[in-house]
Amino acid sequence: MVDEVQDITNIQLKCILASLKNRQHFVLTGDSNQIVHPNFFSWSKIKTYFYETGDSRDNRINILQTNYRNSLRVVELSNSLLKIKNSRFGSIDRESNYLVNTVSREEGEVLLYFNDEKKKKELNRRTQESARYAVIVPGQVQKAEAARFFKTPLIFSVQEAKGLEYENVILVDFISGHEAEFREIIAGVTVEDLQQEALPYNRAGDKTDKDAEIYKFYINSFYVAVTRAVKNIYIFERLSSHPALQLLQMQETKTEISIRETRSTREEWLNEARRLEEQGKHEQAEQIRAKYLGYEYLSPEQLETVKTLALDPAKKEAEVKRERKQLFQYAIHHRRYDWVEALAKLQFQRAILFMKEIRAERREYEKHLRLGNKSGVNAVIRKYGVDFTCDGGVSGLMLALKYGQTELVLDMVNNGASLTHADDSSRQALDYLLASYIKYKCSKQKQTQLANEQTLIRCWNRICPPAIEYDCNRRRFRAGSHSMLYFLIILMRITAESQPMHAKLIYPEGDEEIVGGTFDMAELEQFAAMMPDEILPPYRKKRTYINSVMAMHEREKPSPYCKEAFLRVKRGRYVLNPEIKLNQSGQ
């Protein structure tokens, strides 16, 4: 499924659809009126593309005219913008030639104010503590100007605002900032054109004239900004009597700001930060956390500068005291204890005291995990977060898997524990689960506190990353979690050290020696036999099947399907290819 398809190019769409096994299994959704990057998109071009590529079978287009978001006044304004665009530039295509109907019963309001400092400051005073008000400006450049008056963290450029919605939206200088462009946009459009009940289908006379696409960008941006509002819009314009606003029959509101002052709770703000972060709006999410968790906001550029200065061992304490304090506060709130530890090594006193406390907490945390003490584990998680690590970068999830504490594992996963966090040895949670289970199966003392079969069955699919990605010979390979290749890579990397036979690989050009454990078919078959059928079906445990997978993905295999995962060091004995570089973030 591809959303916002109007913002991607034909070549991007071709690459996406080329990944399909069944060429008919896709859904494209989008709105031609929300194009904010001039790219000449239209649904008719999409249909032409499918026709020319021979993929036109059973392609249905459904037009969704019902609006479930916006109030009546907001929809009236957005429909007026569509009428202006239709009258001035003609129809984009038949699929986009419609007005929107809303099911909302909210009346809402759209108010126009002259863009003066007094009114903006008053509106800011009443709304800056509310997570239900957002400020939208035409571009990144205008965000700094808006931040002088509006102290809310919720300031977005129109590109950033796509996909978001807020009960109330404040728009600043969308028309006045592009005064000449909007004069051109409304040229020849009359009030009567805006009184139509439906959009007539009329294509532009000169289809080779692409200048109109540039003007559509400005009105589309205004349309996107308007439709972010669920209920109310407050428009500030320096040119409040601009002909475009007069055409929209918008009169400047002369009365004082009468909006009731509202405040959102700290929890509401932090929930909003999480929502924004999930949608990739990291800047606004970080500003919210800085404000409501009580530390200084640092932009990515500022953070990099502060970090470089604070961790420079050549700098004296007096030279970088401010930067070290900033980095310490940032690290505490973002749980970057590696940075705190680096500061402690530089004799930053607050970091030394904090790390002393952390080391004591780590010892207690590991003890609680080993014993399955749920209350003790939760107390540490509440204080330091679910991804709090012990010595060696080992997370609580890894230790819970190692000790077979199934209920603790499931609780941590439900609370968002990272499945891709790697310890100092580059092992992840799934490695700990499988290693502990194999140790349990090989142990003569079954009462040993390790991951047993029930732990493996219940936890495998919950902590199993969807794929392993790795690079080799300037190519990137992917092994899906459903594949035998995936299982063999994990198995070999966690059991290589304990294998009885090792091989020394020498690379003359780099004068490098690598020693790795080797596997034959009997050993791999024995490991596979240990696995429950729920994890590894019986047919995958057979020697012939294992051998076929190993042979298919042997480094020297001359096949386009070879993923170069294994290296044969002698007849019948393999090692995990030492040239592959696992991409931890892709797992």
Side-chain angles (χ1 to χ4, degrees):
M1 181 170 179
V2 182
D3 195 15
E4 305 287 3
V5 70
Q6 76 278 356
D7 289 332
I8 69 174
T9 64
N10 274 5
I11 193 65
Q12 289 172 323
L13 183 61
K14 182 177 180 180
C15 289
I16 292 168
L17 298 183
S19 68
L20 289 170
K21 292 182 179 179
N22 185 319
R23 301 184 73 162
Q24 301 301 311
H25 285 187
F26 65 87
V27 176
L28 309 180
T29 66
D31 182 355
S32 297
N33 294 305
Q34 294 193 36
I35 298 172
V36 292
H37 306 281
N39 61 359
F40 310 115
F41 172 90
S42 71
W43 287 107
S44 60
K45 289 179 182 176
I46 292 286
K47 290 192 293 184
T48 301
Y49 165 78
F50 285 127
Y51 178 78
E52 291 177 347
T53 57
D55 290 341
S56 57
R57 293 179 292 119
D58 196 33
N59 289 327
R60 297 182 298 276
I61 293 183
N62 297 299
I63 300 173
L64 309 179
Q65 293 182 245
T66 304
N67 179 300
Y68 296 89
R69 173 194 290 164
N70 308 115
S71 67
L72 294 171
R73 297 284 82 81
V74 173
V75 169
E76 282 181 4
L77 176 56
S78 62
N79 279 341
S80 293
L81 294 175
L82 295 181
K83 292 173 184 178
I84 290 174
K85 190 164 69 165
N86 179 268
S87 297
R88 176 65 176 82
F89 304 114
S91 304
I92 304 171
D93 49 40
R94 291 190 183 277
E95 292 75 18
S96 306
N97 203 62
Y98 62 89
L99 298 175
V100 174
N101 301 313
T102 183
V103 297
S104 174
R105 295 182 180 179
E106 289 279 3
E107 183 74 16
E109 62 180 7
V110 177
L111 299 179
L112 172 65
Y113 293 100
F114 175 68
N115 190 3
D116 68 40
E117 294 187 10
K118 182 181 177 182
K119 279 193 168 61
K120 285 192 290 189
K121 286 179 178 179
E122 180 60 22
L123 184 59
N124 169 69
R125 185 183 70 79
R126 294 168 183 258
T127 63
Q128 64 178 331
E129 298 299 329
S130 174
R132 296 195 292 273
Y133 286 81
V135 179
I136 303 178
V137 295
Q140 289 289 337
V141 175
Q142 291 81 12
K143 283 172 64 176
E145 175 65 21
R148 290 179 52 214
F149 302 99
F150 297 103
K151 303 307 177 185
T152 175
L154 303 176
I155 300 179
F156 304 92
S157 68
V158 70
Q159 286 86 356
E160 291 174 328
K162 290 194 72 174
L164 300 177
E165 60 180 48
Y166 288 93
E167 182 178 320
N168 309 281
V169 164
I170 300 165
L171 308 183
V172 183
D173 276 345
F174 268 80
I175 291 177
S176 305
H178 301 286
E179 188 267 343
E181 288 82 357
F182 272 93
R183 283 185 183 274
E184 181 63 32
I185 286 168
I186 64 168
V189 183
T190 66
V191 174
E192 289 71 29
D193 293 326
L194 270 62
Q195 294 172 347
Q196 305 171 87
E197 295 299 322
L199 295 181
Y201 182 72
N202 57 322
R203 299 301 299 271
D206 185 2
K207 295 184 175 62
T208 63
D209 180 13
K210 300 302 180 184
D211 290 345
E213 298 295 327
I214 303 301
Y215 292 113
K216 287 180 186 178
F217 166 79
Y218 297 103
I219 195 167
N220 285 352
S221 295
F222 193 31
Y223 178 85
V224 169
V226 163
T227 54
R228 299 312 94 194
V230 173
K231 186 176 179 183
N232 305 312
I233 304 176
Y234 306 98
I235 300 175
F236 284 84
E237 290 289 348
R238 185 169 29 86
L239 302 174
S240 56
S241 59
H242 190 283
L245 294 168
Q246 293 178 351
L247 179 64
L248 291 167
Q249 297 183 308
M250 296 182 65
Q251 301 295 321
E252 180 187 336
T253 303
K254 301 287 188 179
T255 58
E256 295 299 317
I257 302 287
S258 59
I259 298 166
R260 184 169 60 88
E261 185 174 348
T262 57
R263 290 176 177 269
S264 298
T265 65
R266 180 175 180 271
E267 289 68 30
E268 287 173 331
W269 274 109
L270 294 178
N271 285 335
E272 179 64 16
R274 280 190 288 274
R275 185 177 78 94
L276 289 171
E277 193 165 54
E278 287 171 357
Q279 298 195 39
K281 311 298 189 291
H282 299 290
E283 177 187 340
Q284 290 81 5
E286 177 60 19
Q287 287 178 342
I288 291 172
R289 291 199 179 101
K291 182 175 181 178
Y292 290 94
L293 294 178
Y295 61 91
E296 183 180 354
Y297 168 71
L298 296 173
S299 69
E301 296 78 15
Q302 290 172 321
L303 176 61
E304 190 59 36
T305 301
V306 166
K307 179 171 169 275
T308 301
L309 290 171
L311 299 182
D312 186 350
K315 299 287 186 183
K316 295 180 180 179
E317 178 73 19
E319 294 178 290
V320 289
K321 186 174 182 179
R322 180 174 179 271
E323 284 78 10
R324 287 180 179 173
K325 182 180 178 182
Q326 286 177 309
L327 186 64
F328 176 77
Q329 290 178 331
Y330 185 94
I332 293 300
H333 286 97
H334 288 78
R335 293 164 177 161
R336 288 301 305 266
Y337 302 127
D338 54 332
W339 292 355
V340 179
E341 196 161 6
L343 288 169
K345 289 177 180 177
L346 294 171
Q347 300 303 305
F348 186 67
Q349 199 61 33
R350 293 175 65 182
I352 292 172
L353 294 173
F354 187 84
M355 287 311 301
K356 184 178 179 180
E357 177 186 335
I358 286 287
R359 282 189 286 271
E361 292 279 20
R362 282 172 172 167
R363 288 192 294 270
E364 286 299 306
Y365 191 41
E366 185 166 0
K367 178 182 174 182
H368 293 319
L369 288 163
R370 187 178 70 253
L371 300 177
N373 181 354
K374 191 171 183 178
S375 60
V377 169
N378 287 338
V380 174
I381 288 175
R382 281 194 297 272
K383 189 173 182 180
Y384 297 106
V386 73
D387 290 322
F388 181 62
T389 60
C390 295
D391 293 338
V394 182
S395 70
L397 178 62
M398 293 172 175
L399 289 172
L401 289 163
K402 175 182 176 179
Y403 295 128
Q405 301 293 352
T406 309
E407 298 306 321
L408 288 178
V409 168
L410 297 177
D411 284 348
M412 288 179 174
V413 172
N414 290 337
N415 286 325
S418 173
L419 306 181
T420 57
H421 168 77
D423 67 9
D424 294 350
S425 300
S426 297
R427 290 193 175 187
Q428 298 182 331
L430 191 62
D431 299 301
Y432 274 79
L433 173 61
L434 190 56
S436 183
Y437 173 72
I438 289 174
K439 188 175 180 180
Y440 166 81
K441 292 292 286 186
C442 296
S443 173
K444 295 179 181 178
Q445 297 178 331
K446 295 302 182 185
Q447 70 274 20
T448 305
Q449 205 165 17
L450 296 166
N452 58 30
E453 191 165 306
Q454 283 306 306
T455 304
L456 184 72
I457 293 171
R458 292 182 65 190
C459 297
W460 180 274
N461 288 327
R462 296 298 305 277
I463 68 162
C464 191
I468 290 176
E469 289 185 359
Y470 58 91
D471 298 329
C472 185
N473 292 329
R474 301 176 68 180
R475 294 177 65 193
R476 174 157 293 182
F477 298 101
R478 188 176 190 273
S481 59
H482 62 282
S483 69
M484 188 63 177
L485 175 61
Y486 180 100
F487 173 78
L488 289 171
I489 291 174
I490 294 172
L491 173 70
M492 292 175 73
R493 78 180 183 184
I494 67 170
T495 58
E497 288 184 11
S498 60
Q499 280 298 97
M501 292 187 64
H502 284 66
K504 182 184 290 186
L505 309 174
I506 302 174
Y507 293 85
E509 64 276 7
D511 195 26
E512 183 181 5
E513 287 188 5
I514 298 174
V515 178
T518 68
F519 300 80
D520 63 16
M521 287 304 114
E523 290 163 337
L524 291 172
E525 186 181 16
Q526 184 181 2
F527 280 124
M530 295 180 185
M531 302 300 292
D533 291 349
E534 291 89 340
I535 305 300
L536 210 61
Y539 76 91
R540 287 189 168 177
K541 300 177 187 180
K542 295 179 180 178
R543 179 179 296 208
T544 52
Y545 185 83
I546 298 170
N547 187 55
S548 68
V549 175
M550 298 294 291
M552 170 59 71
H553 301 295
E554 183 186 334
R555 189 183 68 178
E556 306 300 334
K557 179 78 172 181
S559 167
Y561 303 105
C562 174
K563 295 186 177 179
E564 304 184 23
F566 312 113
L567 179 65
R568 185 168 56 179
V569 292
K570 61 184 294 188
R571 184 176 177 84
R573 297 206 72 86
Y574 294 85
V575 296
L576 193 62
N577 185 359
E579 293 182 357
I580 69 175
K581 294 180 176 61
L582 291 170
N583 176 18
Q584 303 288 1
S585 63
Q587 294 186 44

